[in-house]
Coordinates of all heavy atoms in Angstrom, one line a residue:
M1 N 56.1 -148.9 -192.5 CA 55.4 -147.7 -192.1 C 54.6 -147.9 -190.9 O 54.3 -147.0 -190.2 CB 54.6 -147.1 -193.3 CG 54.0 -145.8 -193.0 SD 53.2 -144.9 -194.3 CE 51.6 -145.5 -194.2
D2 N 54.1 -149.1 -190.7 CA 53.3 -149.4 -189.5 C 54.0 -149.1 -188.2 O 53.5 -148.5 -187.2 CB 52.8 -150.8 -189.5 CG 51.7 -151.1 -190.5 OD1 51.1 -150.1 -191.0 OD2 51.5 -152.3 -190.9
E3 N 55.3 -149.4 -188.2 CA 56.1 -149.2 -187.0 C 56.3 -147.6 -186.8 O 56.2 -147.2 -185.6 CB 57.5 -149.8 -187.1 CG 57.5 -151.3 -187.0 CD 58.9 -151.9 -187.2 OE1 59.9 -151.2 -186.9 OE2 59.0 -153.0 -187.6
L4 N 56.4 -146.9 -187.8 CA 56.5 -145.5 -187.7 C 55.2 -144.9 -187.2 O 55.2 -144.0 -186.3 CB 56.8 -144.9 -189.1 CG 56.8 -143.4 -189.3 CD1 57.8 -142.7 -188.3 CD2 57.1 -143.0 -190.7
L5 N 54.1 -145.3 -187.7 CA 52.8 -144.9 -187.2 C 52.6 -145.2 -185.8 O 52.2 -144.3 -185.0 CB 51.6 -145.5 -188.0 CG 51.4 -145.0 -189.5 CD1 50.4 -145.8 -190.2 CD2 51.0 -143.5 -189.4
D6 N 52.9 -146.4 -185.4 CA 52.8 -146.8 -184.0 C 53.7 -145.9 -183.1 O 53.3 -145.5 -182.0 CB 53.2 -148.3 -183.8 CG 52.2 -149.2 -184.4 OD1 51.1 -148.8 -184.7 OD2 52.6 -150.4 -184.6
S7 N 54.9 -145.6 -183.5 CA 55.8 -144.8 -182.7 C 55.3 -143.4 -182.6 O 55.3 -142.8 -181.5 CB 57.2 -144.8 -183.4 OG 58.1 -144.0 -182.6
L8 N 54.8 -142.8 -183.7 CA 54.3 -141.5 -183.6 C 53.0 -141.4 -182.7 O 52.9 -140.5 -181.9 CB 53.9 -140.9 -185.0 CG 55.2 -140.6 -185.9 CD1 54.7 -140.3 -187.3 CD2 55.9 -139.4 -185.3
L9 N 52.1 -142.4 -182.9 CA 51.0 -142.5 -182.0 C 51.3 -142.6 -180.5 O 50.7 -142.0 -179.7 CB 50.0 -143.6 -182.4 CG 49.2 -143.4 -183.7 CD1 48.5 -144.7 -184.1 CD2 48.2 -142.3 -183.4
S10 N 52.3 -143.4 -180.3 CA 52.8 -143.7 -178.9 C 53.3 -142.3 -178.3 O 53.0 -142.0 -177.1 CB 53.9 -144.7 -178.9 OG 54.4 -144.9 -177.6
R11 N 54.0 -141.6 -179.1 CA 54.6 -140.3 -178.6 C 53.5 -139.3 -178.3 O 53.6 -138.5 -177.4 CB 55.6 -139.8 -179.6 CG 56.9 -140.5 -179.6 CD 57.8 -139.9 -180.6 NE 59.1 -140.5 -180.4 CZ 60.2 -140.1 -180.9 NH1 60.2 -139.0 -181.6 NH2 61.4 -140.6 -180.7
I12 N 52.4 -139.4 -179.2 CA 51.3 -138.5 -178.9 C 50.5 -138.9 -177.7 O 50.2 -138.0 -176.8 CB 50.4 -138.5 -180.2 CG1 51.1 -137.8 -181.4 CG2 49.0 -137.8 -179.9 CD1 50.4 -138.0 -182.7
E13 N 50.3 -140.2 -177.5 CA 49.6 -140.7 -176.4 C 50.3 -140.5 -175.1 O 49.7 -140.2 -174.0 CB 49.2 -142.1 -176.6 CG 48.1 -142.3 -177.7 CD 47.9 -143.7 -178.1 OE1 48.7 -144.6 -177.6 OE2 47.1 -144.0 -178.9
D14 N 51.7 -140.6 -175.1 CA 52.4 -140.5 -173.8 C 52.8 -139.1 -173.5 O 53.4 -138.8 -172.5 CB 53.7 -141.4 -173.8 CG 54.8 -140.9 -174.7 OD1 54.8 -139.7 -175.2 OD2 55.8 -141.7 -174.9
G15 N 52.3 -138.1 -174.3 CA 52.5 -136.7 -174.0 C 53.8 -136.1 -174.5 O 54.1 -135.0 -174.3
T16 N 54.6 -136.9 -175.2 CA 55.8 -136.4 -175.8 C 55.5 -135.3 -176.8 O 56.1 -134.2 -176.9 CB 56.6 -137.5 -176.6 OG1 57.0 -138.5 -175.6 CG2 57.9 -136.9 -177.2
Y17 N 54.4 -135.5 -177.6 CA 53.8 -134.5 -178.5 C 52.4 -134.3 -178.0 O 51.4 -134.9 -178.5 CB 53.8 -135.0 -179.9 CG 55.1 -135.3 -180.5 CD1 55.3 -136.4 -181.3 CD2 56.2 -134.4 -180.4 CE1 56.6 -136.7 -181.9 CE2 57.4 -134.7 -180.9 CZ 57.6 -135.9 -181.7 OH 58.8 -136.2 -182.2
P18 N 52.2 -133.4 -177.0 CA 50.8 -133.1 -176.5 C 50.0 -132.3 -177.6 O 50.5 -131.8 -178.5 CB 51.0 -132.3 -175.3 CG 52.4 -131.7 -175.4 CD 53.2 -132.6 -176.3
P19 N 48.7 -132.3 -177.4 CA 47.8 -131.5 -178.3 C 48.3 -130.1 -178.5 O 48.7 -129.4 -177.5 CB 46.4 -131.6 -177.6 CG 46.5 -132.8 -176.8 CD 47.9 -132.9 -176.3
G20 N 48.3 -129.7 -179.7 CA 48.7 -128.3 -180.1 C 50.2 -128.2 -180.4 O 50.7 -127.2 -180.8
T21 N 51.0 -129.3 -180.1 CA 52.4 -129.3 -180.4 C 52.7 -129.5 -181.8 O 52.1 -130.3 -182.5 CB 53.1 -130.4 -179.6 OG1 52.8 -130.2 -178.2 CG2 54.6 -130.4 -179.8
Q22 N 53.7 -128.7 -182.3 CA 54.1 -128.9 -183.7 C 55.1 -130.0 -183.8 O 56.0 -130.2 -182.9 CB 54.8 -127.6 -184.2 CG 55.3 -127.7 -185.6 CD 55.9 -126.4 -186.1 OE1 56.2 -125.5 -185.3 NE2 56.1 -126.3 -187.4
L23 N 54.9 -130.9 -184.8 CA 55.8 -132.0 -185.0 C 57.1 -131.5 -185.6 O 57.1 -130.4 -186.2 CB 55.2 -133.0 -186.0 CG 54.6 -134.3 -185.5 CD1 53.6 -134.1 -184.4 CD2 54.1 -135.1 -186.6
P24 N 58.2 -132.2 -185.3 CA 59.4 -131.8 -186.0 C 59.3 -131.9 -187.5 O 58.3 -132.5 -188.0 CB 60.4 -132.9 -185.5 CG 59.8 -133.4 -184.3 CD 58.4 -133.3 -184.4
S25 N 60.2 -131.2 -188.2 CA 60.1 -131.2 -189.7 C 60.2 -132.6 -190.2 O 60.7 -133.6 -189.6 CB 61.2 -130.4 -190.2 OG 62.4 -131.1 -190.1
G26 N 59.7 -132.8 -191.5 CA 59.7 -134.1 -192.1 C 61.2 -134.5 -192.3 O 61.5 -135.7 -192.1
R27 N 62.1 -133.6 -192.5 CA 63.5 -134.0 -192.6 C 64.0 -134.5 -191.3 O 64.8 -135.5 -191.3 CB 64.3 -132.7 -193.1 CG 65.8 -133.0 -193.2 CD 66.5 -131.8 -193.8 NE 66.1 -131.7 -195.2 CZ 66.3 -130.6 -195.9 NH1 66.9 -129.6 -195.4 NH2 66.0 -130.6 -197.2
A28 N 63.7 -133.8 -190.2 CA 64.2 -134.3 -188.9 C 63.6 -135.6 -188.5 O 64.3 -136.5 -188.0 CB 63.8 -133.2 -187.8
L29 N 62.3 -135.8 -188.8 CA 61.7 -137.1 -188.5 C 62.3 -138.2 -189.4 O 62.6 -139.3 -188.9 CB 60.2 -137.1 -188.7 CG 59.4 -136.3 -187.6 CD1 57.9 -136.1 -188.1 CD2 59.5 -137.0 -186.3
A30 N 62.6 -137.9 -190.6 CA 63.2 -138.9 -191.5 C 64.5 -139.3 -191.0 O 64.9 -140.5 -191.0 CB 63.3 -138.4 -192.9
A31 N 65.3 -138.4 -190.5 CA 66.6 -138.7 -190.0 C 66.5 -139.5 -188.7 O 67.3 -140.4 -188.5 CB 67.4 -137.4 -189.8
E32 N 65.6 -139.1 -187.8 CA 65.4 -139.8 -186.6 C 65.0 -141.2 -186.7 O 65.5 -142.1 -186.1 CB 64.4 -139.0 -185.7 CG 64.1 -139.7 -184.4 CD 63.1 -138.9 -183.6 OE1 62.8 -137.7 -183.9 OE2 62.6 -139.5 -182.6
Y33 N 64.1 -141.5 -187.7 CA 63.6 -142.8 -187.9 C 64.3 -143.6 -189.0 O 64.0 -144.7 -189.3 CB 62.1 -142.8 -188.2 CG 61.2 -142.4 -187.1 CD1 60.7 -141.2 -186.8 CD2 60.9 -143.4 -186.1 CE1 59.9 -140.9 -185.7 CE2 60.1 -143.2 -185.0 CZ 59.6 -141.9 -184.9 OH 58.8 -141.6 -183.8
D34 N 65.3 -142.9 -189.6 CA 66.1 -143.5 -190.7 C 65.2 -144.1 -191.8 O 65.3 -145.2 -192.2 CB 67.0 -144.6 -190.1 CG 68.1 -145.0 -191.1 OD1 68.4 -144.1 -192.0 OD2 68.5 -146.2 -191.1
V35 N 64.3 -143.2 -192.3 CA 63.4 -143.5 -193.4 C 63.4 -142.3 -194.3 O 63.9 -141.3 -194.0 CB 61.9 -143.8 -192.9 CG1 61.9 -145.0 -192.0 CG2 61.3 -142.6 -192.2
S36 N 62.8 -142.5 -195.5 CA 62.7 -141.4 -196.5 C 61.7 -140.4 -196.1 O 60.8 -140.7 -195.3 CB 62.4 -142.0 -197.9 OG 61.1 -142.4 -197.9
Q37 N 61.8 -139.2 -196.6 CA 60.9 -138.2 -196.3 C 59.5 -138.5 -196.9 O 58.5 -138.1 -196.3 CB 61.3 -136.8 -196.9 CG 62.4 -136.2 -196.0 CD 62.8 -134.8 -196.4 OE1 63.8 -134.6 -197.1 NE2 62.0 -133.8 -196.1
S38 N 59.5 -139.3 -198.0 CA 58.2 -139.7 -198.6 C 57.4 -140.6 -197.6 O 56.2 -140.6 -197.5 CB 58.3 -140.3 -199.9 OG 59.1 -141.5 -199.9
T39 N 58.2 -141.5 -196.9 CA 57.6 -142.4 -195.9 C 57.0 -141.5 -194.8 O 55.9 -141.8 -194.3 CB 58.6 -143.4 -195.3 OG1 59.1 -144.2 -196.4 CG2 58.0 -144.3 -194.3
I40 N 57.7 -140.5 -194.3 CA 57.2 -139.6 -193.3 C 55.9 -138.9 -193.8 O 54.9 -138.8 -193.1 CB 58.3 -138.6 -192.9 CG1 59.5 -139.3 -192.2 CG2 57.7 -137.5 -192.0 CD1 59.2 -139.9 -190.9
S41 N 56.0 -138.5 -195.0 CA 54.8 -137.8 -195.6 C 53.6 -138.7 -195.6 O 52.5 -138.2 -195.3 CB 55.1 -137.3 -197.0 OG 56.1 -136.3 -197.0
R42 N 53.8 -139.9 -196.0 CA 52.6 -140.9 -196.0 C 52.1 -141.1 -194.6 O 50.9 -141.2 -194.4 CB 53.1 -142.2 -196.7 CG 53.2 -142.1 -198.2 CD 53.3 -143.4 -198.9 NE 54.1 -144.4 -198.3 CZ 55.4 -144.6 -198.5 NH1 56.0 -143.9 -199.5 NH2 56.1 -145.5 -197.9
A43 N 53.0 -141.2 -193.6 CA 52.6 -141.5 -192.3 C 51.8 -140.3 -191.7 O 50.7 -140.4 -191.1 CB 53.8 -141.8 -191.4
V44 N 52.3 -139.1 -192.0 CA 51.6 -137.8 -191.6 C 50.3 -137.7 -192.2 O 49.3 -137.4 -191.6 CB 52.5 -136.6 -191.8 CG1 51.8 -135.3 -191.7 CG2 53.7 -136.6 -190.9
A45 N 50.2 -138.0 -193.5 CA 48.9 -138.0 -194.2 C 47.9 -138.9 -193.6 O 46.8 -138.6 -193.5 CB 49.2 -138.3 -195.7
T46 N 48.4 -140.1 -193.3 CA 47.5 -141.1 -192.6 C 47.0 -140.6 -191.3 O 45.8 -140.7 -191.0 CB 48.2 -142.4 -192.4 OG1 48.6 -142.9 -193.7 CG2 47.4 -143.4 -191.7
L47 N 47.8 -140.0 -190.5 CA 47.4 -139.5 -189.2 C 46.5 -138.2 -189.4 O 45.6 -138.0 -188.5 CB 48.6 -139.2 -188.3 CG 49.4 -140.4 -187.9 CD1 50.7 -140.0 -187.1 CD2 48.6 -141.4 -187.1
R48 N 46.7 -137.5 -190.4 CA 45.8 -136.3 -190.7 C 44.5 -136.8 -191.1 O 43.4 -136.3 -190.7 CB 46.4 -135.4 -191.8 CG 47.6 -134.6 -191.3 CD 48.2 -133.8 -192.4 NE 47.3 -132.7 -192.8 CZ 47.5 -131.8 -193.7 NH1 48.7 -131.9 -194.4 NH2 46.6 -130.9 -194.1
E49 N 44.4 -137.9 -191.9 CA 43.1 -138.5 -192.3 C 42.3 -139.0 -191.1 O 41.1 -138.9 -191.1 CB 43.3 -139.6 -193.3 CG 43.8 -139.2 -194.7 CD 44.2 -140.3 -195.6 OE1 44.0 -141.5 -195.2 OE2 44.7 -140.0 -196.7
R50 N 43.1 -139.5 -190.1 CA 42.4 -140.0 -188.9 C 42.1 -138.9 -187.9 O 41.5 -139.1 -186.9 CB 43.4 -141.0 -188.2 CG 43.6 -142.2 -189.0 CD 44.5 -143.1 -188.2 NE 45.0 -144.3 -189.0 CZ 45.8 -145.2 -188.6 NH1 46.3 -145.1 -187.3 NH2 46.2 -146.2 -189.3
G51 N 42.4 -137.6 -188.2 CA 42.1 -136.5 -187.4 C 43.1 -136.4 -186.2 O 42.8 -135.6 -185.2
I52 N 44.2 -137.0 -186.2 CA 45.1 -137.0 -185.1 C 46.1 -135.8 -185.3 O 46.5 -135.2 -184.3 CB 45.9 -138.3 -185.0 CG1 44.9 -139.4 -184.6 CG2 47.0 -138.3 -184.0 CD1 45.4 -140.8 -184.8
L53 N 46.4 -135.5 -186.5 CA 47.3 -134.4 -186.8 C 46.5 -133.4 -187.7 O 45.6 -133.8 -188.4 CB 48.5 -134.8 -187.6 CG 49.5 -135.8 -186.9 CD1 50.6 -136.2 -187.8 CD2 50.0 -135.2 -185.6
V54 N 46.9 -132.1 -187.6 CA 46.3 -131.1 -188.5 C 47.4 -130.3 -189.1 O 48.5 -130.0 -188.5 CB 45.3 -130.2 -187.7 CG1 44.1 -130.9 -187.3 CG2 46.0 -129.5 -186.6
G55 N 47.2 -129.9 -190.4 CA 48.2 -129.1 -191.1 C 47.8 -127.7 -191.0 O 46.6 -127.4 -191.1
R56 N 48.8 -126.8 -190.8 CA 48.5 -125.4 -190.8 C 49.4 -124.8 -191.9 O 50.6 -124.7 -191.7 CB 48.8 -124.8 -189.4 CG 47.9 -125.3 -188.3 CD 48.0 -124.6 -187.0 NE 47.2 -125.3 -186.0 CZ 47.4 -125.3 -184.7 NH1 48.5 -124.7 -184.3 NH2 46.6 -125.9 -183.9
P57 N 48.8 -124.3 -193.0 CA 49.6 -123.8 -194.1 C 50.6 -122.8 -193.6 O 50.3 -121.8 -192.9 CB 48.5 -123.2 -195.0 CG 47.3 -124.0 -194.7 CD 47.4 -124.3 -193.2
G58 N 51.8 -123.0 -194.1 CA 52.9 -122.0 -193.8 C 53.4 -122.2 -192.4 O 54.4 -121.5 -192.0
R59 N 52.9 -123.1 -191.6 CA 53.3 -123.2 -190.2 C 53.8 -124.6 -189.9 O 54.7 -124.8 -189.1 CB 52.2 -122.8 -189.2 CG 51.9 -121.3 -189.3 CD 51.0 -120.8 -188.2 NE 51.6 -121.0 -186.9 CZ 50.9 -121.3 -185.8 NH1 49.6 -121.3 -185.9 NH2 51.5 -121.4 -184.7
G60 N 53.2 -125.6 -190.4 CA 53.6 -127.0 -190.2 C 52.5 -127.9 -189.8 O 51.3 -127.6 -190.1
V61 N 52.9 -129.0 -189.2 CA 51.9 -130.1 -188.8 C 51.9 -130.1 -187.3 O 52.9 -130.1 -186.6 CB 52.3 -131.4 -189.4 CG1 51.3 -132.5 -188.9 CG2 52.3 -131.4 -190.9
F62 N 50.6 -130.1 -186.7 CA 50.4 -130.1 -185.3 C 49.6 -131.2 -184.8 O 48.7 -131.7 -185.6 CB 49.8 -128.8 -184.9 CG 50.6 -127.5 -185.2 CD1 50.7 -127.0 -186.5 CD2 51.3 -126.9 -184.2 CE1 51.5 -125.9 -186.7 CE2 52.1 -125.8 -184.4 CZ 52.2 -125.3 -185.7
V63 N 49.7 -131.6 -183.6 CA 48.8 -132.6 -183.0 C 47.5 -131.9 -182.8 O 47.4 -130.8 -182.2 CB 49.4 -133.1 -181.6 CG1 48.5 -134.1 -181.0 CG2 50.8 -133.7 -181.8
A64 N 46.4 -132.6 -183.2 CA 45.1 -132.0 -183.1 C 44.7 -131.8 -181.6 O 45.0 -132.6 -180.7 CB 44.1 -132.9 -183.8
E65 N 44.0 -130.7 -181.4 CA 43.4 -130.5 -180.0 C 42.2 -131.5 -179.9 O 41.5 -131.8 -180.8 CB 42.9 -129.1 -179.9 CG 43.9 -128.0 -180.1 CD 44.9 -127.8 -179.0 OE1 44.6 -128.3 -177.9 OE2 46.0 -127.2 -179.2
K66 N 42.1 -131.9 -178.6 CA 41.0 -132.9 -178.4 C 39.7 -132.3 -178.1 O 39.6 -131.2 -177.8 CB 41.4 -133.8 -177.2 CG 42.6 -134.7 -177.6 CD 42.9 -135.6 -176.5 CE 44.1 -136.5 -176.9 NZ 44.4 -137.5 -176.0

């Protein structure tokens, strides 16, 4: 999961996912990274705890505004 976290953080930092951008669905990320959706969920939860991502009920997960 550390590699997944590093990759997501790298994409946020390099502007692939700028602040306010919605992340792809858990299913899409799981397919892209070839991991289970539960692994994606744990990674997203970790980044939410760190304040890097925010969840918007009914809309998805977004990169937090700075």
Side-chain angles (χ1 to χ4, degrees):
M1 187 170 86
D2 290 338
E3 289 178 25
L4 173 59
L5 285 172
D6 290 344
S7 179
L8 289 172
L9 283 171
S10 176
R11 288 180 171 195
I12 291 167
E13 291 168 357
D14 73 11
T16 302
Y17 300 136
T21 301
Q22 182 175 12
L23 256 55
S25 70
R27 179 175 288 163
L29 288 172
E32 180 179 343
Y33 286 99
D34 194 29
V35 297
S36 70
Q37 284 185 260
S38 65
T39 300
I40 295 294
S41 294
R42 287 196 315 269
V44 167
T46 298
L47 295 176
R48 287 178 67 180
E49 288 171 6
R50 295 182 187 175
I52 296 167
L53 299 177
V54 294
R56 297 186 184 153
R59 295 192 58 213
V61 177
F62 295 77
V63 177
E65 299 287 343
K66 294 185 179 183

